[in-house]
Amino acid sequence: MSVEAPLGYKIQTVETLPHYLISKLPPALNLGGAPETWEVKEVGDGNLNLVFIVSGSMKTIVVKQAVPYVRAAGESWPLPLTRAFFEFNGLVEERRYAGDTVPEAYFYDEQMALFAMEYITPHVILRKELIAGKKFPKLAKHIGEFLAQTLFNTSDLGLESAQKKELVQRFCVNTDLCRITEDLIFTEPFFDAPRNNWTSPQLDDAIKALWSDQEVIQVAMKYKLKFMSEAQALLHGDLHSGSIMVTEDETKVIDPEFGFYGPMAFDIGNYIGNLFFAFYAQPGHRASAGEVEDYQSWLLEQIVETWGVFEQTFRTLWTNKQKGEAYPRSIYQDGINGDAFLKAAQDDFFRTLFIDTLVNAGLEMHRRIIGFAGVADFKEIEDADLRASLETRALKLARQLMVAPESFSGFADVNAYAKQC
Ligand code: SR1
Ligand code: MG
């Protein structure tokens, strides 16, 4: 199967991009100087797209172009170009609610399947910094708020029902990227799929045992159905530490090309699963036991604090909401027993969301160890025996999160269990 490209579509190179851009850039986006003088670098290191940094004498921008296949796999894995549309629109919608935590998107060109956005500097990809052992004092606040603002304000709690349905319609056709998630996260780790890739032979027995573990597999399939059918909020859809850029003071969430309407717990669980990942990988990256322990404690604090900020911000948005037909103001804010009802409604909502978040974190951890898209936290550990022993610990927590999420009362409790694994 090959992908149909719009007439005139061409994969851009550092040589062709300036000439294309000069006819497309909005007048307000003046890079400065003649296009021949612009410096262009291709810096994409993700799985899917080309990423260019284009600098003129006055301004630098980022241009992202979709190619008609998965970049990390090559032309044998075709992938439609429409993902540029979803990433551009995802940035626009997220920025509406999360402000500067999301880069500004400048323009989208359907014919070339590309868009331009703000150049973010000197921020570094969070995953690299977690591997390097750096701490970020504002990270939990920024990500907790990002999650609350984007998830609340795009759900039926915070948005007029007609507007929400319009957004559902716009994003629900992101079928090809959803299909990647459905396959890579929810299905392939749980059977002998050709794309799977784990530390072998060290983990062979554990992974074969997983394929017969009915308890885990039933949960994975239950949550796959939820992912496919619960249009609760506009998700980022791929919120791992590789989709976040940081400095001491700022956090930027990038890459929402997997954006679509799905269950809130998917985004939150993805992020938290990646923090647990970083937690287990630490002995592969730090020089001493003391450094490992210190950084692991910081990572576990991040999990507690991110959830805390998220819940607090979301509760406040909900309590003060002006619109949104779910849990309407007429019964809660303006109702005779409103305050008591609202607290009970919110408590119930967050308990369910917490459980679903744990399951999604467990799913993300399984797929990064077993499936196609492994991550640097573990892949960069060269000693395969050490890597496998750390992955085994991560898999132990991941299983517990999936089969017994109700046994945990909060993240402090989960963290205590994570340390024992
Ligand atoms: C084929 S894409 C593989 C993975 O990369 C992206 O970042 C998503 O996480 C996806 O699952
Ligand atoms: Mg990405």
Side-chain angles (χ1 to χ4, degrees):
M1 183 196 73
S2 70
V3 164
E4 223 174 276
L7 201 64
Y9 170 84
K10 269 198 343 221
I11 294 181
Q12 295 295 320
T13 65
V14 292
E15 287 83 27
T16 61
L17 190 62
H19 300 282
Y20 157 78
L21 279 178
I22 198 68
S23 64
K24 292 285 174 182
L25 284 178
L29 210 58
N30 180 5
L31 303 193
E36 303 76 50
T37 66
W38 295 349
E39 191 192 337
V40 186
K41 284 184 282 189
E42 204 280 311
V43 296
D45 63 353
N47 287 325
L48 299 183
N49 303 307
L50 297 174
V51 184
F52 299 93
I53 296 177
V54 187
S55 303
S57 57
M58 285 162 56
K59 190 172 174 71
T60 299
I61 60 171
V62 169
V63 175
K64 270 187 94 167
Q65 185 181 37
V67 291
Y69 47 83
V70 172
R71 185 181 177 169
E75 293 185 38
S76 61
W77 187 345
L79 191 64
L81 298 166
T82 45
R83 60 191 187 271
F85 169 88
F86 296 106
E87 184 161 356
F88 174 79
N89 277 276
L91 289 171
V92 170
E93 291 307 320
E94 288 174 345
R95 191 171 161 88
R96 199 185 299 288
Y97 303 112
D100 283 344
T101 304
V102 178
E104 186 180 355
Y106 299 133
F107 76 92
Y108 163 66
D109 180 5
E110 184 180 359
Q111 182 191 37
M112 215 52 82
L114 64 68
F115 67 94
M117 63 178 240
E118 184 183 341
Y119 173 54
I120 303 162
T121 187
H123 307 63
V124 177
I125 290 287
L126 175 62
R127 192 182 301 285
K128 290 187 184 155
E129 300 292 49
L130 299 182
I131 292 170
K134 299 212 181 121
K135 298 180 183 172
F136 297 90
K138 298 181 182 165
L139 177 66
K141 178 177 184 306
H142 291 157
I143 297 297
E145 287 177 354
F146 168 84
L147 285 165
Q149 292 289 354
T150 56
L151 298 178
F152 175 85
N153 283 303
T154 60
S155 76
D156 283 298
L157 288 164
L159 204 57
E160 293 295 0
S161 126
Q163 280 176 292
K164 190 244 176 175
K165 287 179 172 59
E166 189 278 317
L167 276 178
V168 172
Q169 188 184 32
R170 195 179 331 152
F171 282 91
C172 76
V173 284
N174 197 0
T175 42
D176 296 285
L177 273 75
C178 285
R179 182 64 200 257
I180 288 179
T181 300
E182 289 151 20
D183 289 343
L184 295 191
I185 298 188
F186 291 96
T187 312
E188 294 187 3
F190 303 102
F191 79 103
D192 190 6
R195 286 191 292 224
N196 284 340
N197 175 24
W198 63 82
T199 305
S200 180
Q202 290 87 342
L203 294 186
D204 290 1
D205 289 346
I207 285 158
K208 282 188 189 131
L210 171 72
W211 295 335
S212 299
D213 188 337
Q214 188 180 166
E215 230 184 321
V216 172
I217 289 175
Q218 301 293 12
V219 173
M221 296 312 125
K222 180 174 167 183
Y223 277 76
K224 178 176 182 178
L225 179 60
K226 280 169 169 287
F227 176 83
M228 296 175 79
S229 49
E230 287 181 8
Q232 197 181 22
L234 178 60
L235 305 187
H236 176 283
D238 196 24
L239 192 62
H240 55 83
S241 50
S243 299
I244 297 170
M245 297 182 78
V246 283
T247 61
E248 282 267 307
D249 291 321
E250 286 190 336
T251 306
K252 302 276 183 183
V253 178
I254 59 170
D255 283 4
E257 65 214 325
F258 285 77
F260 87 112
Y261 261 81
M264 297 180 187
F266 182 78
D267 269 4
I268 315 167
N270 238 261
Y271 180 65
I272 285 173
N274 277 270
L275 291 180
F276 278 125
F277 234 72
F279 170 86
Y280 285 112
Q282 284 310 307
H285 303 298
R286 305 275 79 78
S288 71
E291 283 177 80
V292 169
E293 204 180 312
D294 176 65
Y295 199 65
Q296 283 185 325
S297 301
W298 182 78
L299 286 165
L300 295 185
E301 282 161 22
Q302 287 301 296
I303 293 171
V304 173
E305 203 185 326
T306 305
W307 176 268
V309 171
F310 162 74
E311 181 176 341
Q312 186 52 52
T313 310
F314 197 113
R315 274 185 194 257
T316 304
L317 289 167
W318 184 345
T319 302
N320 299 327
K321 82 190 197 124
Q322 299 302 318
K323 57 185 182 181
E325 268 311 296
Y327 297 89
R329 283 190 61 91
S330 49
I331 292 182
Y332 293 92
Q333 286 79 354
D334 305 333
I336 42 173
N337 292 306
D339 287 351
F341 282 14
L342 185 60
K343 176 159 186 329
Q346 292 183 347
D347 289 350
D348 174 57
F349 177 89
F350 284 107
R351 179 67 190 154
T352 305
L353 189 59
F354 171 72
I355 288 167
D356 291 351
T357 293
L358 297 188
V359 175
N360 277 286
L363 282 157
E364 170 71 359
M365 293 171 76
H366 274 93
R367 76 93 166 218
R368 295 293 187 188
I369 294 172
I370 303 166
F372 171 79
V375 281
D377 308 54
F378 281 124
K379 274 173 142 177
E380 285 186 5
I381 301 174
E382 278 174 21
D383 176 343
D385 287 335
L386 173 62
R387 188 190 329 130
S389 76
L390 302 174
E391 288 172 331
T392 301
R393 295 182 62 200
L395 283 173
K396 187 169 179 214
L397 173 68
R399 184 181 189 282
Q400 191 70 3
L401 296 180
M402 287 179 66
V403 302
E406 292 91 354
S407 67
F408 297 107
S409 59
F411 275 108
D413 206 12
V414 180
N415 288 350
Y417 185 87
K419 284 192 217 165
Q420 286 169 30
C421 286

